[in-house]
Amino acid sequence: MPMSPRLHNSSSQVAAPELGAVKAGKPATCAASGQATSAHEFSRQERLLLLRLAHDSISSALENREVPLEIPTPHFAGNRGVFTSLYLRGELRGCVGYVLPSCPLHRAVAETARAAAFEDDRFPPVTRQEATHLEIEISILSPPQAVQAEEIEVGRHGLLVTWHGRRGLLLPQVPIEHGWDRTTFLEQTCRKAALPLDAWKNGAAIEAFTAEVFGDQSEQCESVTRG
C-alpha cells in the first residue's frame, strides 16, 4: 500500500528542544497519549475494528502483503483527519497523521499506522519482534476551525498555529498531560512551529479541533469494566 504524500509526521513531545519547525504543507511532527477528549462518536466495535486495521497494516508491511481496505461500515467512508501513535513498553515509538480530512477514515488509519511504524524519522523502522508488542492509540480529528484565543478549551481542543509558512500542531490531550493552562498551550504550539512564543498574539492564525482518542489500553480497560 503506497504512502500518500499528504501524510504528516507529528510529535506532541514538545518539551524536547531538538524537535524542529513544521513547514506549512510539509510533514509535521505529534504524539498522542492520554484519555479521550470528546464524547464517543464511534461505537466500541468500530474502535476495535480501527485498532485491528492499524495493527494489520503494520504486520502486512513486515510480511510483504497487502492489507485489505474494504470499507467495513459506512461510518468509515467519510474523510477524516487522523493521528496514529505507537507505544512500545510505554514509550512513544512513532506518531504520524493527517491534519486535514484528506481520505476516508479506514484508509487514513491504515496509512498513518504504517507510516508511524516505518516513516517517522525520529525512530528506526519497527521490527517484526517489536510489532507483536506495540500498543496503538488513534486520534480522530474534527476539521480545524479558526478561533479566538479566549475560545480555546484546554482538554477539549487541539491547536494548529500557522504563521509565515510555519505550522505547529498539538493534540487535545497534550496540555492535560503536561498540566498547561490555555496561555502555555498556545505558547507551546507556537514553539512547536519554531515561532516566537507570543506569535499567537501577533498575527499567527489559530485553529482548533477536537479529537476522539482511543487505544488498545483504553479498550481493554473498558472491556474489563463492562465484564
Side-chain angles (χ1 to χ4, degrees), residues 38-104:
S38 64
H40 286 171
E41 174 188 348
F42 297 90
S43 68
R44 182 167 188 270
Q45 181 181 12
E46 288 175 324
R47 300 196 299 269
L48 290 172
L49 279 172
L50 290 171
L51 288 166
R52 193 174 307 126
L53 173 61
H55 280 286
D56 193 38
S57 182
I58 295 170
S59 62
S60 67
L62 290 166
E63 296 164 8
N64 197 28
R65 61 178 173 82
E66 291 295 315
V67 59
L69 283 177
E70 294 83 5
I71 302 176
T73 166
H75 200 183
F76 294 171
N79 291 1
R80 298 295 293 267
V82 173
F83 277 85
T84 299
S85 301
L86 312 180
Y87 293 90
L88 185 64
R89 291 182 283 277
E91 297 294 326
L92 182 68
R93 187 62 177 82
C95 181
V96 170
Y98 290 111
V99 177
L100 300 176
S102 52
C103 67

Side-chain angles (χ1 to χ4, degrees), residues 5-227:
R6 297 167 296 182
L7 217 53
H8 286 62
N9 166 8
S10 177
S11 164
S12 57
Q13 304 264 347
V14 296
E18 66 273 16
L19 289 180
V22 175
K23 295 281 188 179
K26 299 291 184 180
T29 46
C30 199
S33 174
Q35 58 188 4
T37 54
S38 64
H40 286 171
E41 174 188 348
F42 297 90
S43 68
R44 182 167 188 270
Q45 181 181 12
E46 288 175 324
R47 300 196 299 269
L48 290 172
L49 279 172
L50 290 171
L51 288 166
R52 193 174 307 126
L53 173 61
H55 280 286
D56 193 38
S57 182
I58 295 170
S59 62
S60 67
L62 290 166
E63 296 164 8
N64 197 28
R65 61 178 173 82
E66 291 295 315
V67 59
L69 283 177
E70 294 83 5
I71 302 176
T73 166
H75 200 183
F76 294 171
N79 291 1
R80 298 295 293 267
V82 173
F83 277 85
T84 299
S85 301
L86 312 180
Y87 293 90
L88 185 64
R89 291 182 283 277
E91 297 294 326
L92 182 68
R93 187 62 177 82
C95 181
V96 170
Y98 290 111
V99 177
L100 300 176
S102 52
C103 67
L105 173 61
H106 70 298
R107 178 174 290 276
V109 167
E111 291 184 352
T112 56
R114 185 173 287 196
F118 306 111
E119 298 186 10
D120 187 335
D121 57 14
R122 296 168 295 165
F123 305 94
V126 165
T127 66
R128 189 183 297 264
Q129 182 178 11
E130 288 176 325
T132 61
H133 300 288
L134 287 176
E135 289 190 344
I136 292 179
E137 184 176 81
I138 296 171
S139 299
I140 302 176
L141 280 53
S142 69
Q145 295 186 341
V147 294
Q148 299 299 314
E150 61 270 18
E151 297 176 308
I152 296 165
E153 298 180 36
V154 172
R156 178 171 183 265
H157 289 134
L159 290 183
L160 186 63
V161 172
T162 307
W163 202 33
H164 295 316
R166 295 184 181 275
R167 178 168 61 188
L169 178 145
L170 292 177
L171 296 174
Q173 54 269 42
V174 175
I176 299 299
E177 201 177 302
H178 293 279
W180 295 339
D181 59 15
R182 180 192 295 156
T183 298
T184 305
F185 188 21
L186 283 158
E187 291 175 344
Q188 291 297 329
T189 310
C190 291
R191 181 178 183 271
K192 186 68 179 3
L195 293 170
L197 295 185
D198 61 355
W200 62 275
K201 293 190 280 188
N202 296 309
I206 305 171
E207 295 175 281
F209 57 90
T210 58
E212 181 169 341
V213 184
F214 55 91
D216 293 323
Q217 194 171 61
S218 63
E219 295 310 308
Q220 289 171 4
C221 289
E222 184 173 332
S223 177
V224 170
T225 302
R226 290 187 178 188

